[in-house]
Amino acid sequence: MARARAMALLLLLLVAFTLVSTSAGSTSTFNVIRADRKVDLLTQVVRISTAWKVENSGTEPASEFKLALSAAQAERLAFIEVVIKGKGKNAAVVGLPVVDVAQEGSVTLYTLALPKALNQKETATFESYVALTHQLKPFPEEVTQADAQLVKYDDSAYILSPYPIKTQTAYFKVSSPRIESFTKVGTTKVVDTEVRYGPYENIEALKSKPITLHFENNQPFAVVEELVREIEISHWGNVYVTENYKLANKGARLKSTFSRFEYQARPGASGTSFRHLHAKLPVNAHSVYYRDEIGNISTSHLRSDFRKTELELEPRYPLFGGWKVAFTLGYCVPLQDLVFKASDGSRYLNISFGSPFNNIVVDKLILKVVLPEGSYDMSVSVPFPVEQGQEKKYSYLDTVGRTVAVMVKRNSVLEHQFKFVQVHYRFNSLGMLVEPLMLVMVFFAFFTACIAYTHFDFTLSKSSAAYLAQLQRDEVTDVLQRLQKLLAVRGQAEERLDASLKEATRTGDVAACKAARKAADAVWKGTSKDLKTLSDALESTVKPVPGKTSSVKSSSVLTKVESLLQKEKEMIEKVQQKQTVIVDAYERKLNSKEIDSRIAPVQEKLESLRQEVSSLISSLDD
Amino acid sequence: MALGSGEVGIPIYSPVPESLYPLLAVLLLTIGLLLTAFFFIYEVTSTKISRSLVQEFATGGAASVFLGFGTLFLLLWTGVYV
C-alpha cells in the first residue's frame, strides 16, 4: 500500500519536473532583432531604458518574454517597468506586468507577460525601464572638502539577455564632461558627455563584456537608510502623515576635518556636500512640522499655492560624505483629498508610495497605514512587489487598537512618488460615535461617583454623638426647608390677595376681590394641615435626642418656628380682616377716606407682622 | 482588486463641517459646565432626605453628554483628530 503511494508520488514528481523543464525550454524561442540601451548616470540613481524589437524564432506561439539582470543589479533593483508605446499622438501605453522572477546562476530573470501571444516570425517592440540604486561607487573613496567627486560604474558592453541579439547599442550619459577613463570594446566613442558603445552584431545569449566608466559626478548622494512613513486616517476630517528619516550622504567620505571657514568662504566648492532637500507635498497639506530629537528645526521654507505645496528643508548641518542626520517631517492632509468611497461601499486611501523628496534613494521604506478603529476587511493593492504585514496601533481614545497595514519596500526611488497604493477597508459610520460616547461615559462615571459619594454613609461608628447630631441636623434642615417652601406658597397667596385688595380700592371691583379671597382661603386651608404636621415633625426630631445633646440650638429653632407660625397665622388673620373691612365698606358705599381710616390700624399691624415673619424666615437659614 | 483607471471614488468628508468645530466646542462645553454647576449646587444644598435620585441622574447625564461631545470637538478643534 505504502509502496504504491510512493510510486504514485514519484510519478507525480516526474510529471511536474517535465512540465517545468518544457516550460523553461520554450523561453529561448525569441530572437532580439534590435536593442538600444540608454543608461542615465546623471544622478546617484542609474536609470536604464532599453528599446527592444523582438521576433519569435520558435515554432510555438510565445507569450512570455524574459529580461535579465546581473545579480549585483537585481539586488539593487528599485523600479522596473516595461511598456508598449503605441504609434501616434494619443496612443495608449500598455504596461507589461512582471509575472515571475527567477534566479538562474548569477543572472536574475524577469518574466513579462506579452499582451498577446506572438506567432512564428511575428515581431513586437517595447521599452523596458529599470532604475537601480547604489551602482555608482565613489573612487577615490575619500576626498577633501573642496574636491570634486569621482565615481566608478561597472556594467557590460553587451546587454545581458537570455536571447541572442542581432544588433545592439549602449549609450552611457554621464553628468560631466570630465571622464577619467572608460573601457574600450570594439566601436567606442565619446560624444559630448555621452559614451557610446556599439553597434555590436550577433551577440549570443547571456554573453557579457565587463566595462568600467570613471567620471565626475557631484550630485548629492542623499540616501535614506530607513524611512518610516506613517499615515493615520481620522474620519473626523484629517489624515496625518509622519515621516521619520535617517538620512546619510553616501558619496565619497570626507577626508580630514571639516573646515567651517573654507565652507563659508567658497560656497560653490564643497564637493558633494548638500544642505537643501526639496519635497513636493500634497496640494492641501497643512500643519507641516520639521523636527528632530532636540526639537523644532527652523531652517525650512514652505511655499504653497493652489496647485502645489513645496517644502525646502535644511538639515541642522551641511552633510558631507559619510555624515548622517535624522529628522521627522509631518503634515496633515484633508480627508477628502486622500480617502474615497468606492462604488461597492468600501472606502479606500489613495496615496503616493514614495517619499515626497526629489532625488533621494531610500534603502528601506516602511509604509504604515493606520486605519480608524473599527475598520475591517482590509486589503492593499500596490503596483509593484512589496513585503506586506499587519500590526496594531493604539492612538487617541482607542480600546481595541487600530489595524495597521505595513508595506516594506527595499530600494525606493523618485519613480515611486508617482505610484499610488490603495488601502481598501470597510468602516461603519456609526463607529465614529464610539469615541465621543467614551468621553460621555467618563464624565457620567464621574457624576455617578459624586452621586454615590453623597448618598452612601461612610461613617464608621454609627453611634457616635457627632454622627447622631449630624443626622438630626440633616432632618431638621430638611423639615425647615419644607416648611419654608410651604410658607412661601402661603405668602404668595397672601400677596395675591393684597394685590387684589389694592386693585379693589382703586377700581371698586369687589367681585374680583371676593374671588381672590376665596382662592387664598383655599390655599391656606389646604396648607395649614401640612404646616401642622411639619411643625409636629420638627418637634419630634428635635425632642428624642438622647442624653445631653438636646442642644440650645435645636430648642431655639423650635421656639423660632413656633413664633414664626404664630406670627404668620396672625398676619393671615389680619389680611382676612382687611379684606372683610374693605368689601364691607364698598358694599355700604362708603367714600374712600372713610375706608382708609377704617383699614389704617389693620394695615399698620399687618405691615409690622409682615416684617417680623420675613425676618424670622430668613433667620431660619442660620 | 486593483483600482481600475475608470473608477473614481467619491471623496469622504467629515460628518460635521470642520469650520463648526470651534463653535460647537464652546457652545457644548458652556452648556455642559453650566449643567455641572447646577448639579453640584443641588448636591450641596439638598439634604440626604430631600435629594431626588432622578433629578441627580438627569442633570448629571445631560451634563456628561454635553461635556463629552464638547470635549470631542475641543480635541478636533485643537488638531487632535481622534
Side-chain angles (χ1 to χ4, degrees), chain A residues 97-383:
Chain A
V98 175
V99 290
D100 186 40
V101 181
Q103 180 90 25
E104 272 183 31
S106 62
V107 176
T108 308
L109 293 173
Y110 296 83
T111 308
L112 308 169
L114 297 172
K116 63 180 174 64
L118 290 182
N119 291 322
Q120 197 179 355
K121 294 290 170 201
E122 252 188 314
T123 60
T125 54
F126 50 86
E127 277 177 36
S128 67
Y129 180 81
V130 170
L132 306 165
T133 63
H134 296 278
Q135 297 297 304
L136 302 178
K137 302 271 181 273
F139 189 82
E141 286 180 354
E142 283 192 342
V143 292
T144 60
Q145 195 169 324
D147 282 348
Q149 175 177 254
L150 294 168
V151 295
K152 258 169 47 172
Y153 174 65
D154 295 312
D155 202 344
S156 161
Y158 306 145
I159 297 173
L160 195 65
S161 169
Y163 312 108
I165 303 175
K166 220 177 231 172
T167 311
Q168 62 169 307
T169 58
Y171 292 179
F172 294 87
K173 181 117 179 118
V174 298
S175 50
S176 129
R178 184 180 165 194
I179 301 168
E180 294 284 297
S181 71
F182 60 91
T183 316
K184 279 199 171 73
V185 179
T187 355
T188 310
K189 58 186 173 191
V190 179
V191 179
D192 202 9
T193 58
E194 206 169 58
V195 186
R196 293 180 175 174
Y197 286 88
Y200 304 117
E201 306 286 337
N202 296 323
I203 306 297
E204 56 205 79
L206 287 175
K207 190 172 182 193
S208 74
K209 182 86 184 163
I211 54 163
T212 302
L213 300 169
H214 191 203
F215 56 96
E216 185 181 328
N217 185 336
N218 280 324
Q219 289 294 312
F221 278 35
V223 175
V224 179
E225 288 166 342
E226 189 181 87
L227 164 60
V228 182
R229 297 187 79 203
E230 194 179 87
I231 290 141
E232 194 177 313
I233 303 169
S234 162
H235 279 147
W236 287 103
N238 192 55
V239 177
Y240 287 112
V241 182
T242 314
E243 298 174 350
N244 289 303
Y245 288 86
K246 282 186 192 133
L247 183 68
N249 186 342
K250 287 285 172 77
R253 285 195 305 277
L254 179 68
K255 212 194 286 184
S256 74
T257 52
F258 167 62
S259 157
R260 170 62 74 175
F261 172 73
E262 202 180 323
Y263 183 77
Q264 299 289 80
R266 272 170 290 160
S270 45
T272 57
S273 79
F274 60 91
R275 61 183 309 170
H276 295 292
L277 288 169
H278 292 269
K280 266 200 189 106
L281 302 184
V283 187
N284 294 321
H286 62 92
S287 312
V288 182
Y289 62 88
Y290 166 47
R291 62 172 171 80
D292 61 9
E293 278 148 347
I294 307 171
N296 178 50
I297 308 168
S298 56
T299 47
S300 63
H301 307 281
L302 185 73
R303 277 177 281 273
S304 71
D305 57 31
F306 64 95
R307 273 177 287 118
K308 58 183 190 302
T309 298
E310 281 181 342
L311 181 70
E312 188 186 292
L313 295 187
E314 256 181 65
R316 284 196 189 269
Y317 40 83
L319 274 166
F320 279 88
W323 291 15
K324 295 180 180 187
V325 70
F327 62 86
T328 302
L329 170 69
Y331 48 92
C332 294
V333 185
L335 182 73
Q336 60 267 26
D337 288 9
L338 295 179
V339 183
F340 304 91
K341 199 167 206 147
S343 48
D344 64 344
S346 72
R347 297 165 189 231
Y348 67 90
L349 170 84
N350 189 30
I351 194 160
S352 139
F353 185 85
S355 149
F357 286 101
N358 302 330
N359 297 320
I360 61 163
V361 163
V362 182
D363 283 350
K364 188 181 183 190
L365 199 160
I366 304 168
L367 180 70
K368 293 183 176 180
V369 177
V370 185
L371 299 177
E373 200 175 34
S375 306
Y376 56 98
D377 273 1
M378 183 191 71
S379 66
V380 177
S381 69
V382 194

Side-chain angles (χ1 to χ4, degrees), chain A residues 31 70 138 162 229 285 309 402 404 457 467 544:
Chain A
N31 217 343
S70 70
R229 297 187 79 203
T309 298
R402 306 183 185 204
V404 184
D457 197 344
Y467 174 68

Side-chain angles (χ1 to χ4, degrees), chain A residues 234 236 240 339 341 454-455, chain B residues 10 21 43 51 56 79 81-82:
Chain A
S234 162
W236 287 103
Y240 287 112
V339 183
K341 199 167 206 147
T454 50
H455 276 260
Chain B
I10 309 151
Y21 288 167
E43 286 293 304
R51 221 170 264 148
E56 279 173 307
Y81 284 86
V82 293

Side-chain angles (χ1 to χ4, degrees), chain A residues 491 494-495 497-499 501-502 567 571 575 578 603-617:
Chain A
E494 189 254 41
E495 270 166 32
L497 179 58
D498 200 43
L501 281 179
K502 266 189 194 135
K567 293 274 194 287
M571 180 179 85
V575 172
K578 181 179 164 190
Q603 184 69 30
E604 212 170 278
K605 185 86 185 150
L606 188 60
E607 291 299 331
S608 70
L609 276 172
R610 249 184 216 154
Q611 257 168 24
E612 272 178 76
V613 167
S614 67
S615 71
L616 273 171
I617 286 177

